[in-house]
Amino acid sequence: MAAVDRKVMRWFGAALLSGVASLCFGLPTAAPAYAQSSEEDKKPLLLTANQLIYDRDQNKVIAVGGVQIDYGGYKLVAKRVEYNQQTKRVMAIGDIEMIEPTGNRVYADNLDVTDDFANGFIDTIRIETTDDTRLVARKGRRINADELVLEKGVYTACQPCKDHPEKPPLWQVKAERVIQNGKTHTVRLENARFELFGKPIAWAPVLELPDPTVKRKSGFLFPRMSTSQNLGFGMSIPYYQTITPHMDATLTVTGYTAQGALLDAEIRNQFKLGLHTLHIAGIDQMNKSRFTDGTSDAQEKTRLAVSSKADFRINPRWAFGWDALIQSDNNFARTYSLFDADENTHTNQVYLSGLGRRNSFDMRAFYFDVQDADPDSKDEKKQAVVHPVLDYTYIHPEPILGGQLSTTVNLQSLSRTNTDRVRWLDGVDVADRYQGVAGTSNRFTSETEWKRTFVIPGGLLLTPLLAARGDGFYLDTNNVPSSYPGNYYDGSDAGRSMLTAGLEARYPILATTANASHVFEPIAQVYARPDERLAGRLPNEDSQSFVFDAANLFERDKFSGYDRVEGGTRANYGLRYTGTFDSGYVFRGIVGQSYQLAGKNSFATDDLVNAGANSGLETRASDLVGAIGVEAPMGVTASFGGRFDQKGLEIQRTDSTLGYNSKKLQTELTYTQIAAQPKYGYPTEGQEIQSTTAVKLKDFWSVYGSATWDLKANVISRNTFGFSYDDSCTVFEIGFSQTRDPQDKTANDWSIGARLSFRTLGDINVGDSNAPKFN
């Protein structure tokens, strides 16, 4: 290479690379090299070529043959490049390829740009971005430093076919001219045609979009569509509006063929610590008769709803927020699927939570909004207003007497307007249950636990445990009817304590064979404690959901919450097994039983909700519980869990699942059977089968379906099926779902959902297709 002045060479490389970048992308460019700071001068420049010429007569610097330039993170190759210091133009000729620091690639045939980068030309340009989008144009032109014009532009986010690259992509947008304006930060498409499978399907004289440098810009978004039985076909037109750098809004007008126009405004405000979203919606229904007679949907004409959600991160460990919904009737949000709040019961809450290395804190207040189309429903007044519930745990960082010391605190305060009494179910008279009593209930609980594990010679593991718990109650719930058979506590305050001494013994036994290893672990526990004070005589709000199975067999207190506490001396014993085979199979199993050794059995004591009735623990010797599972290397999984009567081994409850997961097929079949629990409010046996399947077909197509079959009622209570197409640039899904529940007066019995998504352009949605995703 010929020797050239280093400052001229640096200018040459910087000018060329900056010129290509600015011309191709309309980006702001740096000042010429001779005006750069000393920091810029320190950037390394690497230029190689077969021949480097400094033409003093024409005042040109020319690189010829295999030119490679590496400067400031940019890399460029070309056949020939030159800089004319007299005309102040930079030129590159032949097979130009440039890689940006971001990874974007630019290809072109010829480049000619002025040294101030305000004006220039480029021939046959092709841009490939790191997110697999492509832009091709016949010619490019830079005008006055702030406008880029591409002639005959084609844009797509689809990859070319590997076997037939000459075929058009699945979709592409063609435009006579693509104009990027650096001042307004917009991209204008003139005479734009949208093509699908190489065929034009849509045309627009002008489309104007924000350019890639803009994160937020006002304008219309892709429309959404929906269809349902009672609302008809719906078309949603959303408009996005920026308000401040930290605040924006989306106004959506949805026209329903059966009910008229729904107005929906969503306002988002981003603060330094978090985000707040305010959502407002309303409609004046024009055809109430489409809904079922006697429902709030059929009675209400003007319907309104307001939602407020916030999530603030005070610091990396603490969070504060809320979720609140207010609506003019009890079913508006559910009927129109508003605010992601279309569930049967919407939970309004405000929370403060923190997580440390050795402790955790969580405080929440709840209000439960029952969304029921029955206008005369009193269910909402039966729900508790929680104000608040607090949970705190602490684990001491240092061993105490060689063991772990932990503390748990729980505070619960709630009130209820009406007593929640369950007496009739499916036309069968069952035992009275009071899921909540009108009035106010307050409880404070604190518990400290110490435990340590000793390894005895021979492999026996012994874990002694000591626990002390205290509860304080303040009650104003003297609203239990005189017909209640139990002895309900009628005082305003009460105290309860529980001391526990326990010992657990485990003896893992390892057995190995030529191709497998097996671990057998007999386990036995004994917990000695006094009887539960005021057992069944106090409100039970958080210990109502109780299922005795293998998962909680070895729990010290098997109640699910704090309102009840297990008392009396009890033993738990069983056997755990794990088998691992070289072929890839893994087997797991557990079986065991619980036995009341002395004192009063808390699960045999009736309370307001009969929590222990028909649970399998109400007898001295409990039912047997067990679970087995297998994992196969080819993707097959199977599990079975059950509870069996301790006398005749009749099945009381089973949960069985069989599944298969691969790249082509995902399927799962679940069978659940629950014996009659008349004292707990379920007078008949329940049996249900749930099935979900998704099959991936050739060339990105898949079909899916799911069903829930109530065997006792012989009704398919829910079913869904559909198909989808998903490749690198386009997603198309369509699905049908139907729900049958004669006890629930829902607004919509069936719905059809569809989604058409063009990557980087946007989505067109019709409801929710519920399509599964393959791994």
Side-chain angles (χ1 to χ4, degrees):
M1 292 190 304
V4 182
D5 181 79
R6 182 172 181 83
K7 189 169 287 189
V8 173
M9 286 301 303
R10 184 173 299 280
W11 158 245
F12 175 69
L16 177 64
L17 291 170
S18 300
V20 175
S22 63
L23 182 59
C24 295
F25 300 105
L27 300 177
T29 57
Y34 48 73
Q36 290 176 345
S37 66
S38 59
E39 292 297 323
E40 288 293 321
D41 291 338
K42 294 178 182 179
K43 289 184 178 180
L45 167 68
L46 176 63
L47 186 152
T48 61
N50 295 338
Q51 188 177 18
L52 188 61
I53 303 169
Y54 185 35
D55 189 339
R56 295 184 182 275
D57 295 334
Q58 298 187 48
N59 207 12
K60 286 184 179 181
V61 180
I62 305 170
V64 181
V67 182
Q68 299 183 32
I69 302 176
D70 190 337
Y71 176 75
Y74 289 89
K75 298 178 180 180
L76 179 140
V77 297
K79 289 183 178 181
R80 177 186 178 96
V81 294
E82 61 182 60
Y83 171 61
N84 190 319
Q85 291 179 295
Q86 185 174 353
T87 61
K88 306 297 184 181
R89 300 190 75 87
V90 180
M91 299 184 65
I93 303 170
D95 298 335
I96 301 171
E97 178 181 354
M98 187 183 75
I99 303 177
E100 284 192 300
T102 59
N104 294 337
R105 292 176 178 268
V106 181
Y107 304 88
D109 287 346
N110 299 288
L111 166 73
D112 183 353
V113 61
T114 58
D115 67 355
D116 62 357
F117 317 127
N119 298 276
F121 302 90
I122 190 167
D123 292 336
T124 317
I125 179 174
R126 185 171 87 255
I127 303 172
E128 296 179 359
T129 66
T130 54
D131 63 349
D132 287 331
T133 61
R134 291 163 173 79
L135 177 64
V136 179
R138 182 175 298 176
K139 292 182 179 180
R141 180 162 47 102
R142 186 93 186 273
I143 304 172
N144 298 327
D146 56 23
E147 191 170 88
L148 174 66
V149 180
L150 300 178
E151 304 289 344
K152 304 292 184 182
V154 180
Y155 171 82
T156 185
C158 299
Q159 295 183 359
C161 179
K162 294 181 180 180
D163 298 331
H164 301 282
E166 73 283 357
K167 294 178 59 177
L170 180 63
W171 65 263
Q172 59 187 4
V173 179
K174 291 183 177 180
E176 288 295 322
R177 293 206 310 171
V178 180
I179 304 173
Q180 181 182 23
N181 192 308
K183 290 183 178 179
T184 61
H185 297 286
T186 59
V187 177
R188 179 184 174 93
L189 305 175
E190 296 182 352
N191 194 17
R193 302 183 307 279
F194 183 86
E195 293 186 357
L196 190 64
F197 299 106
K199 303 296 182 182
I201 63 170
W203 171 85
V206 175
L207 287 177
E208 191 166 273
L209 308 171
D211 70 21
T213 64
V214 177
K215 301 298 183 182
R216 305 160 63 244
K217 188 170 182 62
S218 301
F220 286 98
L221 306 179
F222 261 73
R224 301 188 302 267
M225 291 171 283
S226 63
T227 181
S228 62
Q229 183 177 5
N230 298 321
L231 306 181
F233 177 78
M235 171 69 77
S236 300
I237 306 296
Y239 181 83
Y240 176 78
Q241 176 66 51
T242 58
I243 302 174
T244 70
H246 308 290
M247 187 176 182
D248 55 29
T250 302
L251 176 64
T252 304
V253 179
T254 304
Y256 291 102
T257 57
Q259 300 301 337
L262 173 74
L263 299 181
D264 183 344
E266 182 179 4
I267 304 171
R268 296 166 293 273
N269 200 344
Q270 182 70 56
F271 297 91
K272 183 178 180 179
L273 299 179
L275 174 69
H276 173 249
T277 302
L278 178 66
H279 225 139
I280 305 172
I283 190 174
D284 189 35
Q285 296 186 146
M286 68 180 188
N287 193 359
K288 300 186 299 179
S289 60
R290 289 287 294 267
F291 296 102
T292 304
D293 290 339
T295 64
S296 56
D297 298 309
Q299 293 181 2
E300 301 294 333
K301 181 173 177 57
T302 301
R303 311 179 77 175
L304 301 170
V306 178
S307 171
S308 175
K309 295 182 181 180
D311 184 19
F312 298 101
R313 299 293 169 178
I314 303 173
N315 57 42
R317 295 188 176 185
W318 285 90
F320 168 72
W322 65 83
D323 180 355
L325 170 66
I326 302 174
Q327 49 187 335
S328 57
D329 61 83
N330 58 351
N331 208 46
F332 178 38
R334 186 183 179 198
T335 301
Y336 287 86
S337 299
L338 299 174
F339 318 151
D340 295 323
D342 55 353
E343 63 270 69
N344 290 347
T345 301
H346 179 73
T347 302
N348 298 272
Q349 64 173 311
V350 56
Y351 63 88
L352 173 66
S353 62
L355 180 63
R357 294 181 179 179
R358 309 289 296 183
N359 58 357
S360 65
F361 175 91
D362 188 89
M363 181 171 64
R364 296 172 185 265
F366 297 99
Y367 175 79
F368 301 99
D369 187 355
V370 179
Q371 301 193 91
D372 188 346
D374 183 0
D376 300 323
S377 175
K378 303 298 183 182
D379 289 344
E380 190 164 309
K381 294 184 177 181
K382 297 179 181 178
Q383 303 299 311
V385 178
V386 183
H387 44 73
V389 59
L390 181 151
D391 287 287
Y392 176 78
T393 60
Y394 174 77
I395 300 176
H396 198 278
E398 301 295 333
I400 303 297
L401 299 177
Q404 177 181 283
L405 183 69
S406 62
T407 299
T408 301
V409 175
N410 177 264
L411 169 67
Q412 177 182 278
S413 176
L414 57 86
S415 59
R416 182 180 278 101
T417 303
N418 293 347
T419 296
D420 188 1
R421 179 185 183 188
V422 179
R423 186 173 184 180
W424 290 85
L425 188 68
D426 294 333
V428 180
D429 194 6
V430 298
D432 284 354
R433 300 176 67 245
Y434 297 85
Q435 298 182 117
V437 180
T440 302
S441 171
N442 304 278
R443 174 186 45 76
F444 178 81
T445 298
S446 179
E447 183 177 56
T448 299
E449 180 189 80
W450 175 90
K451 62 181 178 181
R452 179 182 179 183
T453 299
F454 297 89
V455 181
I456 307 302
L460 179 65
L461 304 177
L462 292 178
T463 303
L465 176 147
L466 297 173
R469 167 175 165 168
D471 302 279
F473 293 84
Y474 177 75
L475 307 173
D476 182 16
T477 55
N478 299 323
N479 296 285
V480 178
S482 58
S483 59
Y484 174 62
N487 183 19
Y488 183 72
Y489 179 73
D490 58 2
S492 61
D493 53 70
R496 184 176 65 189
S497 62
M498 181 63 67
L499 299 175
T500 303
L503 180 65
E504 178 187 83
R506 295 185 290 123
Y507 190 68
I509 303 170
L510 174 63
T512 60
T513 62
N515 57 3
S517 62
H518 309 270
V519 178
F520 300 89
E521 189 178 29
I523 304 174
Q525 298 173 328
V526 175
Y527 294 110
R529 54 205 164 193
D531 294 342
E532 178 187 9
R533 185 172 182 269
L534 298 174
R537 300 183 60 192
L538 298 169
N540 181 359
E541 296 286 351
D542 67 356
S543 300
Q544 299 185 12
S545 176
F546 174 69
V547 175
F548 176 47
D549 56 19
N552 58 13
L553 169 63
F554 296 108
E555 293 291 331
R556 171 168 59 89
D557 188 341
K558 297 179 178 60
F559 283 113
S560 57
Y562 294 94
D563 284 338
R564 293 295 306 271
V565 55
E566 188 174 337
T569 300
R570 179 176 287 274
N572 306 312
Y573 44 87
L575 176 67
R576 182 183 293 144
Y577 164 76
T578 301
T580 305
F581 295 80
D582 294 343
S583 58
Y585 285 87
V586 178
F587 289 88
R588 295 183 176 87
I590 185 173
V591 63
Q593 191 178 28
S594 185
Y595 193 88
Q596 186 77 17
L597 296 175
K600 182 184 295 185
N601 186 348
S602 294
F603 301 101
T605 303
D606 292 336
D607 66 0
L608 291 172
V609 296
N610 297 327
N614 309 123
S615 66
L617 285 165
E618 70 276 17
T619 55
R620 191 174 184 85
S622 76
D623 289 348
L624 273 75
V625 292
I628 57 175
V630 59
E631 300 174 13
M634 69 286 295
V636 175
T637 59
S639 63
F640 171 82
R643 176 166 65 87
F644 308 89
D645 181 73
Q646 51 93 15
K647 294 182 179 179
L649 295 182
E650 292 89 354
I651 297 176
Q652 301 299 307
R653 182 186 181 97
T654 58
D655 293 284
S656 306
T657 301
L658 178 64
Y660 176 76
N661 194 330
S662 70
K663 293 182 178 180
K664 296 291 185 180
L665 174 63
Q666 296 177 359
T667 184
E668 185 175 271
L669 182 68
T670 301
Y671 170 74
T672 302
Q673 178 268 335
I674 304 175
Q677 298 176 274
K679 291 184 178 180
Y680 195 62
Y682 295 94
T684 60
E685 180 186 36
Q687 295 186 45
E688 185 177 85
I689 293 178
Q690 295 181 350
S691 175
T692 60
T693 300
V695 181
K696 192 170 186 178
L697 306 176
K698 186 180 179 181
D699 296 334
F700 314 112
W701 290 93
S702 62
V703 295
Y704 59 91
S706 65
T708 301
W709 183 15
D710 187 335
L711 296 176
K712 298 301 292 185
N714 195 24
V715 171
I716 297 179
S717 56
R718 179 176 177 83
N719 62 286
T720 300
F721 62 87
F723 66 88
S724 67
Y725 174 91
D726 188 352
D727 64 11
S728 62
C729 66
T730 308
V731 176
F732 174 64
E733 302 168 350
I734 185 169
F736 172 85
S737 63
Q738 187 173 23
T739 302
R740 301 180 182 89
D741 188 353
Q743 297 184 21
D744 186 11
K745 297 181 178 180
T746 58
N748 299 295
D749 296 326
W750 60 264
S751 63
I752 296 176
R755 175 189 174 210
L756 179 60
S757 174
F758 301 110
R759 190 171 67 89
T760 72
L761 291 184
D763 293 359
I764 300 175
N765 291 286
V766 181
D768 188 357
S769 61
N770 298 303
K773 303 301 178 185
F774 281 89
N775 297 328

